[in-house]
Amino acid sequence: MTRKRATANVSLLLSIILSVIAVALPAQATWHHIMTEDFERPPNQWPWATAGHSWGISPGDNRWGIQATYYHVGFGVQSAWCYMDPGNEHDPEFDPYPSNFYTYMYWGPFDLSQAEAALAAFHIFNRTYSGDSLYWAGSESAGGQGLLWSGSHSGTLSGFEERIMDFANLRNAQGDSVSLLGERYVYIYFLFRSNGDANVDMGGFVDDLVIAWDDGLVDLAVVRLTFLKPDSSVYAYVPVYGDTVIAELRWATYGRGLLPPFHLVGTFDEATELDTLIDWAEGEEVYLSYYPAKVMSSGDHGYSFLFDPTDEVEETYEDNNQLDSTFHVDEPNLPPEFTWVRPGLVADTTDESYLLQWAVDDAEDNALLYLYFDTDTFDFNGYIIPGGAGISEDDGPDTLRWNVAAFPNGEVLWPYARVDDPVNSVQLYARAPVVVQHGSETLPRKDPAGLTFSLSQNFPNPFNEATIIRFSIAEAGPVTLRVCDLLGHEKCVLLNERLSPGTYSATLNTAGWPSGLYLGTLTSSQGNLTRKMVLLK
């Protein structure tokens, strides 16, 4: 037969008890947790006992025990069952309870002497006929004496359902209302009783028991601090230099007692900027406070909020009234400063090569320089100058020899620079162009090195992890250098740039790649070239 899981929705009360106690939110309520029982301990050790408390069961061969066929899915895969033959594993679907059957289980003792309210939340599942019922009750004694009734159920349920037991509103045998609040020794009971007819089924099941009590006081608690932007959206990172920050403080009150007026004090960088009197009535609601906007400067900063600094409110907990938040704001990362020295204010002419010169400064010393040339001074849509990619701004002399021999006579070339650091990117054209003059020639001159479109064999080859790939191009334009495996799967793109004629090199790092044969392919307007590369580890 198929085993079944019975489910139920958790009520608001159980959600509050579990969220405050079991999940241990930073704000503590005035409800004090006594116990949570999910019936997941070893069945062969039932009835279980802990320090100062224990489960008890009625005497007899047939009584309450632990089974794993029907259970509420909230905590585990076992529950308590009203019909269990000690020492044997029974399936409720094949072991109906008998007629004239009476059995109980109880847990305790627990102390309600300081309680202004006390509740138990639990789930039941019932498979009975009319007249056969599951009951829950309280008592000041073990052994089934002096029972004060809370509720009962007879008949079949479709699944586990939650029930609430109020220890302030129980009934004695005469039907009078009786409270167990203020009592030092209290027990909770679950009982099952069948009548004398032959109609029997599987009986009653209990799971996920939670007991808690309220001391009648209130509790103030800070919940969290959130940094907001001026448009009220949330900062996804620690505020940085120049940010305008609004602090949103969430706080709450809990409990049943009357809350007198109290003070809230807030400081920013140890200067008191908020001292206000708050006058609320009863709590268990979350309130918001907005702290004045601050423009962040560099250095260490800190917010501090303190509720009820002069103890105007008698609280259950006094250790959750303060929230401190500290953070560091770095100095601003200013954009790099770049100045063209050569070309200067007027155009320069050259035949075969030209010495570019510049000055660059970056406060963080982590900028990289890229030198390009363009045919105009619009859009920064030019070609990388050979040797001009990824120059560290603090590396060596700020010059680069530029080979222009392959350009046509009279070509006007505008150098420009792009300087990148982790935060900023600056681009700047030279103030004047470089003009190519080859005497009386009108056609492009052949480059002295005899440049052709070529892809050299990588070196070393075979290689272990790193190798260098050299190539040359004879025409300016877009150039791509990519590496694939033998199945054609692209492993990386080493280069995807607009390049001018020249000889270049790229370093391939294969950390984490498996040994094998790889293909390096160079693509430009002149065609495609491929080399085989062997990786041995």
Side-chain angles (χ1 to χ4, degrees):
M1 183 173 292
T2 302
R3 303 248 169 176
K4 302 171 231 178
R5 292 187 180 188
T7 63
N9 293 325
V10 180
S11 74
L12 178 60
L13 175 64
L14 184 57
S15 298
I16 292 173
I17 294 174
L18 292 178
S19 66
V20 172
I21 297 167
V23 182
L25 292 177
Q28 294 175 288
T30 55
W31 282 89
H32 300 264
H33 176 239
I34 296 177
M35 69 94 75
T36 297
E37 179 62 79
D38 54 13
F39 299 99
E40 291 300 308
R41 286 180 276 180
N44 60 357
Q45 297 177 14
W46 171 263
W48 304 308
T50 55
H53 313 282
S54 64
W55 282 98
I57 53 178
S58 56
D61 292 335
N62 301 314
R63 54 194 180 185
W64 285 87
I66 307 300
Q67 57 78 48
T69 302
Y70 288 87
Y71 49 87
H72 178 241
V73 298
F75 289 102
V77 295
Q78 293 182 168
S79 71
W81 175 39
C82 72
Y83 184 69
M84 178 68 70
D85 186 3
N88 294 297
E89 292 289 338
H90 285 299
D91 188 329
E93 296 184 5
F94 298 101
D95 293 282
Y97 58 86
S99 301
N100 296 313
F101 177 51
Y102 176 75
T103 186
Y104 58 79
M105 67 174 180
Y106 59 90
W107 184 85
F110 51 94
D111 186 0
L112 298 183
S113 60
Q114 303 297 317
E116 294 292 329
L119 299 173
F122 50 90
H123 287 83
I124 66 166
F125 173 59
N126 228 39
R127 284 290 296 272
T128 65
Y129 284 90
S130 178
D132 303 338
S133 302
L134 175 67
Y135 303 84
W136 44 99
S139 177
E140 293 182 65
S141 64
Q145 305 299 315
L147 296 177
L148 302 173
W149 306 97
S150 175
S152 65
H153 185 86
S154 178
T156 296
L157 294 172
S158 60
F160 272 88
E161 293 184 1
E162 189 187 42
R163 296 292 187 268
I164 302 296
M165 178 174 172
D166 185 352
F167 290 94
N169 187 22
L170 304 173
R171 302 184 311 277
N172 61 18
Q174 292 74 39
D176 301 324
S177 178
V178 180
S179 172
L180 286 176
L181 304 184
E183 301 300 334
R184 186 172 180 81
Y185 300 100
V186 178
Y187 297 82
I188 186 170
Y189 276 81
F190 296 94
L191 310 93
F192 186 82
R193 184 188 300 274
S194 64
N195 59 20
D197 62 35
N199 297 322
V200 294
D201 204 332
M202 291 187 290
F205 304 79
V206 177
D207 204 357
D208 297 348
L209 169 64
V210 179
I211 305 175
W213 62 276
D214 184 1
D215 59 13
L217 298 176
V218 294
D219 187 40
L220 297 171
V222 291
V223 179
R224 69 174 179 268
L225 179 66
T226 305
F227 295 139
L228 302 180
K229 300 178 182 179
D231 62 1
S232 297
S233 60
V234 177
Y235 277 104
Y237 50 85
V238 174
V240 298
Y241 182 88
D243 280 346
T244 298
V245 174
I246 301 173
E248 180 193 70
L249 174 69
R250 294 180 68 91
W251 60 279
T253 62
Y254 301 88
R256 300 185 174 205
L258 183 65
L259 186 66
F262 62 94
H263 280 80
L264 167 61
V265 177
T267 63
F268 177 73
D269 291 350
E270 299 183 355
T272 299
E273 299 195 22
L274 178 68
D275 189 348
T276 184
L277 183 67
I278 298 177
D279 188 4
W280 298 101
E282 294 193 29
E284 293 211 13
E285 296 183 32
V286 175
Y287 303 98
L288 304 181
S289 294
Y290 292 93
Y291 201 66
K294 291 290 179 184
V295 178
M296 292 295 109
S297 59
S298 58
D300 294 322
H301 295 289
Y303 284 99
S304 180
F305 295 94
L306 176 61
F307 286 95
D308 194 27
T310 57
D311 295 327
E312 298 159 294
V313 181
E314 183 182 0
E315 298 182 66
T316 302
Y317 303 99
E318 296 287 354
D319 58 355
N320 57 359
N321 288 9
Q322 184 166 349
L323 183 148
D324 298 310
S325 177
T326 59
F327 53 92
H328 179 79
V329 175
D330 292 328
E331 291 284 344
N333 191 327
L334 299 176
E337 296 181 0
F338 183 90
T339 303
W340 280 106
V341 177
R342 195 168 185 265
L345 294 175
V346 296
D348 283 339
T349 59
T350 187
D351 183 9
E352 293 188 353
S353 67
Y354 182 80
L355 185 66
L356 297 168
Q357 187 173 1
W358 64 90
V360 62
D361 181 64
D362 179 59
E364 302 296 326
D365 290 331
N366 58 4
L368 292 177
L369 173 65
Y370 299 83
L371 298 178
Y372 299 82
F373 72 90
D374 203 346
T375 56
D376 54 37
T377 56
F378 304 101
D379 302 329
F380 298 99
N381 187 25
Y383 302 91
I384 193 76
I385 295 173
I391 302 172
S392 297
E393 59 93 12
D394 57 347
D395 279 353
D398 294 337
T399 60
L400 178 68
R401 179 66 64 176
W402 180 19
N403 188 335
V404 297
F407 287 99
N409 188 53
E411 187 83 351
V412 178
L413 306 174
W414 286 90
Y416 72 88
R418 191 186 85 224
V419 188
D420 295 342
D421 68 19
V423 177
N424 307 285
S425 182
V426 175
Q427 296 189 106
L428 183 68
Y429 279 100
R431 293 171 291 179
V434 175
V435 180
V436 179
Q437 289 187 351
H438 298 310
S440 61
E441 297 181 29
T442 57
L443 298 175
R445 298 180 65 192
K446 182 178 180 182
D447 186 88
L451 287 175
T452 59
F453 179 56
S454 64
L455 175 63
S456 301
Q457 184 65 55
N458 64 297
F459 181 82
N461 189 52
F463 66 99
N464 180 356
E465 191 164 298
T467 187
I468 298 175
I469 303 172
R470 292 184 172 87
F471 62 94
S472 298
I473 59 171
E475 296 179 2
V479 177
T480 303
L481 179 59
R482 55 170 49 88
V483 178
C484 300
D485 61 21
L486 288 180
L487 297 178
H489 299 140
E490 184 177 283
K491 299 293 289 184
C492 71
V493 176
L494 288 176
L495 178 73
N496 187 13
E497 291 272 0
R498 298 170 63 89
L499 300 180
S500 58
T503 299
Y504 300 85
S505 65
T507 300
L508 172 64
N509 193 313
T510 61
W513 295 17
S515 297
L517 187 64
Y518 293 90
L519 303 177
T521 300
L522 178 69
T523 303
S524 77
S525 60
Q526 298 171 272
N528 297 313
L529 297 174
T530 299
R531 290 282 188 177
K532 296 179 181 179
M533 302 178 292
V534 179
L535 172 62
L536 293 178
K537 293 189 174 182

